[in-house]
């Protein structure tokens, strides 16, 4: 039973070797656990349970009978429709790391918002974390302290791209983003749109094109880019961002 459960827990990961490195467990010994030839010591079992967010019942009870999938998106009613996309997104399809993004402001008609987000993995899941630029917050008279500027989200695989659901603390503001990879020389750009779940207004917009650029750069360069976030004029955008935003073309 333990070997069967462990094989199910390992299924979303790219390779057993990579998983063993993350766990700090010898690959040969781990294979014995997978085949059911041996059981882990209590300290090793604790390590495995903590990593996969399960408990010691995996030794004796079928995984499917345990409540091991937290959150509504992995509820049995939604797991195959929503939850599976959260667990199948590979590094190749959407790498971890820092991204610079740009999109038309939802409220300032002639300005572009430029920001920075961090994409990271935790087990089979992909998460996003970022902060609203101070300049953008202060422009609208909003507090600029860290907790109120921070937003978080999760990333799911789509047929030809990724979707990202993002929200500020206490769900005070949220957005849905879709991105598809753009053919480029460094293969590091994604383009799509962001949408706000709010009422349509005459003076703002609820949907805007968006560009993500994966920053494969030293940390000091990323810090420099972070200091340049906020509202910018179209002519101050990186050329490739400006081209993908197609500011003069209506979004359909």
């Amino acid at each position: 039973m333990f070997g069967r459960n462990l094989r199910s827990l390992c299924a979303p990961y790219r390779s057993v070797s990579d998983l063993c490195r993350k766990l700090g467990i010898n690959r040969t010994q781990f294979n014995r656990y997978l085949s059911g030839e041996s059981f882990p010591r209590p300290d090793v079992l604790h390590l495995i349970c903590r990593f996969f967010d399960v408990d010691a019942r995996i030794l004796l009870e079928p995984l499917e009978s345990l409540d091991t999938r937290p959150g509504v998106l992995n509820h049995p009613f939604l797991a195959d429709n929503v939850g599976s996309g959260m667990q199948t997104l590979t590094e190749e399809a959407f790498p971890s790391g820092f991204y610079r993004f740009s999109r038309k402001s939802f409220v300032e008609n002639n300005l572009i918002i430029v920001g920075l987000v961090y994409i990271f993995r935790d087990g089979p899941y992909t998460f996003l974390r970022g902060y609203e630029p101070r300049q953008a917050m202060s422009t609208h008279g909003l507090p600029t302290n860290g907790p109120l500027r921070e937003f978080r989200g999760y990333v799911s695989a789509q047929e030809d791209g990724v979707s990202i659901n993002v929200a500020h603390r206490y769900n005070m503001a949220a957005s849905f983003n879709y991105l598809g990879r753009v053919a480029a020389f460094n293969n590091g750009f994604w383009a799509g749109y962001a949408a706000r779940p709010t009422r349509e207004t005459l003076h703002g917009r609820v949907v805007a094109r968006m560009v993500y650029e994966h920053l494969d750069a030293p940390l000091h360069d990323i810090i420099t880019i972070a200091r340049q976030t906020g509202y910018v004029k179209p002519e101050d955008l990186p050329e490739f961002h400006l081209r993908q935003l197609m500011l003069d073309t209506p979004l359909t």
Side-chain angles (χ1 to χ4, degrees), residues 129-132 134 137 143-152 167-170 172:
R129 186 180 188 186
Y131 290 85
E132 296 286 356
R134 291 182 186 275
M137 299 285 283
T144 60
N145 62 72
L148 293 179
R149 290 171 50 226
E150 183 187 18
F151 53 87
R152 300 182 183 186
H168 284 73
R169 186 164 295 194
Y170 310 121
M172 293 297 293

Side-chain angles (χ1 to χ4, degrees), residues 104 112 209 234 237 242-243 245-250:
K104 268 188 175 181
I112 309 298
R209 286 194 182 93
L237 274 178
L242 184 61
R243 193 185 314 162
L245 288 178
M246 296 184 290
L247 299 179
D248 296 327
T249 303

Side-chain angles (χ1 to χ4, degrees), residues 2 6 53 56 59 70 74 121 130 171-172 190 196 198 200 215 226 250 252:
F2 177 66
L6 194 57
D53 195 21
L59 285 172
N74 276 320
R121 260 73 177 180
N171 209 34
M172 293 297 293
W190 285 257
R196 295 190 300 164
T198 187
E200 184 179 8
L215 299 175
T252 59

Side-chain angles (χ1 to χ4, degrees), residues 101 113-116 130-151 168 225-232:
F101 71 85
I113 188 75
V114 175
L116 194 70
Y131 290 85
E132 296 286 356
R134 291 182 186 275
Q135 177 218 28
M137 299 285 283
S138 61
T139 296
H140 300 287
L142 298 173
T144 60
N145 62 72
L148 293 179
R149 290 171 50 226
E150 183 187 18
F151 53 87
H168 284 73
I225 292 172
R227 291 170 177 159
Q228 298 169 350
T229 59
Y231 285 129
V232 303

Side-chain angles (χ1 to χ4, degrees), residues 33-54:
Y33 302 153
L34 290 171
S35 64
E37 294 177 9
S38 65
F39 295 94
R41 301 189 314 265
D43 59 324
V44 178
L45 177 62
H46 174 71
L47 184 69
I48 292 172
C49 288
R50 187 175 62 179
F51 183 88
F52 289 112
D53 195 21
V54 295

